[in-house]
Amino acid sequence: MNFDYIDVIQTLIDGILFGSIYALIGLGFTLIFGAMHKLNLAYASSGIAGAYIGLMSLTIIGLPVLMVFIIGPIVAGLISLILYFACFRFMPRGNHLAPLMASIGALFFIDELIIHATAGSPLSFPAILQNSYFIVGEFGIRGDLLMIMGFSLILMVVVMLLLYRTKLGLATRAASQQPVAALLCGIPTHKTNATTFCLAGILGGFAGCLLAASVGVLSPLIILPLTIKGLIVTVIGGLGSIRGAVIAGFAVGAAEGIFLLVRGVNERDIYVYLLLFFFLVFRPNGLFGSTINRD
Amino acid sequence: MIEVRNLVKHFGGVRAVDGLDFKIKQGEVFGLIGPNGSGKSTTVNLICGVFPTTDGEILLDGIDLCAIAPHNRVDAGVARTFQNIRLFGELTVWQNLWVAWRDQPGQEQSWISNWFRRSPTRRQEIQKLLEFSGLGDKANHLASNLAFGEQRCLELARAMASKPKLILLDEPAAGMNSAEIKDLCKRVLTMKEMGMTVLLVEHVMELVMNVTDRIIVLNFGKPIAEGTPVEIQNNEAVKSAYFGSSENTEGGAS
Amino acid sequence: MTYFLGILQTIGVHTLLGLSAYLLLLTGQLSLAQAGFFAIGAYVSGILTVIFGLHIFPALAIGAFIAGFFAFLVGFPALRVKGLMLVVATIAFSEIVRLFFFNLSWRVIINGIEVGPDSTQGFREIRYFAANGWEQIDIVGLIWFLVIAVMLVLWWLDQVRAGAVLRAVGADELAAQSSGINLTRVKIAAMTGGGVIAGIGGGLFAHSTTYIDHHTFVILLATFAVSYPILGGLRSVVGTLVAVIFIQGFIIEGLRFIGDYRYLIFGLLIVLVMNLRPQGMIDGHFLADIKKLLGRKTMRGKVDD
């Protein structure tokens, strides 16, 4: 195995840029976990489903390409909202298992629905800025990946602003820390949670669209790996830490690139998933997690 | 037998316990009282290992408890009841005691034996404990189906089942009526006769004044008084902590 | 008759899958790793009989042992932390195992034929039973013998203190810890036991279907594994068996009417059931009602040593 340091750094660049998508998904999981202390395993699938519907607006209705990136996230937000009502809204507050199982059921439902609707074959997705490519010294930077990174960063900043500078964000954070007390203070926790789900869904829709745009293809096969990597990002970043999810997203993207370089596409994911266990053994709190660790 | 030195616990900016010292003698019933938020339950949680301490030492017969993991503190001889009842609701009364029961200290069996072997001694001791708690005929009932008072008795019995040196009672009388409180007083005094050392955290003064040998009073995480029940009842600092200073009450109710 | 025996095979193997999840669910932990342990049991025992020519019983045993060993390895880091992390870790584990076997190629020539796992082509020719004169009825007999043996062992756990300890951890971890129970040790034990059971199931599956590939060992399988005890309730092992019959019967019968949409409906069903009965379908009250119907007393539990 002879790798030029150029190959390595190039891989890292590509990986980090691509990792912004994982950061978005991790952010979405973290938002939901932060609000309700529960995991929505169907989250990534709602993002991809949104991307599919966005694509349909192009192929079936014939809207301009840009609309895909607007309709996709909006629909994903709606799907996420439906997920909230289907799997989380009516569950007993302390029960963590039931909503988790329900979201697994929803994950399969959405996955199978997509497979049936598309007869299992991948669909081509408009790739933006396909041909732009910047040369910086010895390295090449893909224009579309750069745009994805930029877009993701903007989204992350918007989310942070929403959470920390708006009344809605304050209400959500209060509700997450003390759901009963928040209710008693007049905070409509169900509404704030629903809004969080919606917001996270929109993020997921962007992530789905951006992912599809960068590879040029939409396929139901990406749902599960995206879900798992998103979860890994969430856990490695520290459950509930937004900073952590963002940084972990880039880190996982970079690691994935290196594993791809070193072990090839068939084995790449094995090592990415093993990364999770590495963290569980040595840093169970994740990068920025609080002491949620028991025992 | 129990010595707490300079116990400190901060939760972020909140100083729940801020420099607590006390000693409990073997066989004593020691009361820990104070207004809400004074750090009583936190102290119990620290002794049991629910949270780690920020500073200070907790010595049980000379052994530093802070170095011992929570589930091992039972082996060290600590047991507790909870303010909000935490029984194993889906298990029977018998099973609740079965789970908490331990061998005589010094005669511990391997975990294989503990988990899988039968033991007539264990059966007898649990039976006796049930009779003591007035639950002798309810062994097969689900814990969640018991009446409130019975549940409190079961919680107490479960703590006793692990043969502790020190038993921590966290507001055992909360929600009890007069008759149940009298019953509890008798029970705690019997425990004292059986040689147990008790740390009682409580608001219900009827219980505290009747069973404790000595009391320490906390306010804002710090001790403000220590003494016998009679001394505490007459202590000005205590009164002011509970009722406000005499200047405030002057113009109000007689 | 073959059709009927085939259903019995499937139900038997899936019951083992469900029982392996049941053990860990008693401690309140949701694990989606059963697919991974099942896969390990399947591939290992298959390789042992096909490539190394072992007799079926030691092959099954070793497969189960290795599955249990990996369960222990997974449990160690994953059970020290919050339950939600365990779900993530077990999903990752099952996928790691599936991808590993997806890439595994170990081909040898035995008696002139090339055999062994062939990465994406799967693992064919696991013909131990046929080559050694086992009839289908014998295979079904072996499967159910093991199923009943495992059920008896799990039932026995509730007759001794271990069962109460497991359930106490599942009921209230703080109270259990304060009663002196080492939470991590209990959960790891349950995880390892579950791994062994799933490994047995995997080995039986591989040999009774003679062909396995990575498509079987997906997260959907792990979801089935936990669905059975959740649906059947954790009061008793019988609940899991009933749930397997119900769900597999639905899937198999559903094949006729709904065809490929059955997994779609399965997903929908899970969402529905979780909303209607978050504590599982067959909980204590349900069992008590059934017992009343059958005229027996409704007392549960047992006075024991």
Side-chain angles (χ1 to χ4, degrees), chain A residues 39-110:
Chain A
L39 281 180
N40 173 14
L41 287 181
Y43 171 63
S45 70
S46 64
I48 301 286
Y52 265 98
I53 307 265
L55 183 63
M56 274 166 53
S57 75
L58 173 71
T59 56
I60 296 185
I61 311 181
L63 293 173
V65 171
L66 196 62
M67 289 305 282
V68 176
F69 293 90
I70 295 181
I71 293 184
I74 292 180
V75 171
L78 277 169
I79 297 179
S80 193
L81 194 63
I82 296 177
L83 281 175
Y84 172 68
F85 282 102
C87 305
F88 293 88
R89 170 71 175 82
F90 302 107
M91 297 288 180
R93 195 191 313 278
N95 192 337
H96 290 260
L97 242 55
L100 195 68
M101 273 304 286
S103 68
I104 295 179
L107 170 62
F108 288 131
F109 181 75
I110 294 178

Side-chain angles (χ1 to χ4, degrees), chain C residues 53 97 239 270 277:
Chain C
V97 171
I270 295 181
R277 293 271 247 168

Side-chain angles (χ1 to χ4, degrees), chain A residues 33 37-39 41 85-88 90-92 95-106 108-114 116 224-225 228 231-232 235 239 266-267 269-270 273-274 276-277 279-286 292-295, chain C residues 25 28-30 32 73-74 77-85 87-93 95-96 98-100 102-103 173 177 182-185 187 219-221 223 226-227 230 260-268 270-271 274-275 278-279:
Chain A
F33 179 79
H37 294 286
K38 295 180 178 151
L39 281 180
L41 287 181
F85 282 102
C87 305
F88 293 88
F90 302 107
M91 297 288 180
N95 192 337
H96 290 260
L97 242 55
L100 195 68
M101 273 304 286
S103 68
I104 295 179
F108 288 131
F109 181 75
I110 294 178
D111 197 26
E112 287 288 313
L113 203 62
I114 294 177
H116 277 105
L224 189 61
I228 300 181
L231 285 171
I232 291 180
V235 169
L239 269 179
N266 281 334
E267 294 184 20
D269 285 350
I270 297 183
Y273 300 161
L274 278 175
L276 173 68
F277 284 93
F279 269 84
L280 279 181
V281 171
F282 294 107
R283 256 211 103 115
N285 286 333
I292 39 149
N293 191 6
R294 286 174 303 87
D295 270 25
Chain C
L25 270 168
Q29 304 295 306
L30 186 75
L32 290 174
L73 280 186
V74 170
L79 287 167
R80 291 183 308 163
V81 294
K82 242 173 134 72
L84 288 180
M85 313 253 267
V87 178
V88 177
T90 51
I91 292 178
F93 172 76
E95 275 294 291
I96 291 175
R98 184 185 69 84
L99 285 171
F100 174 79
F102 173 76
N103 285 298
E173 285 195 7
Q177 188 181 61
N182 183 335
L183 297 174
T184 307
R185 183 187 285 181
K187 290 183 204 171
I219 301 292
L220 183 64
L221 188 69
T223 309
V226 292
S227 298
I230 289 180
D260 266 334
Y261 290 86
R262 61 193 190 276
Y263 292 119
L264 198 100
I265 300 195
F266 179 61
L268 208 59
I270 295 181
V271 177
M274 284 297 113
N275 270 290
Q279 72 276 17

Side-chain angles (χ1 to χ4, degrees), chain C residues 200-211:
Chain C
I200 297 175
L204 288 169
F205 173 75
H207 289 88
S208 61
T209 55
T210 74
Y211 166 63

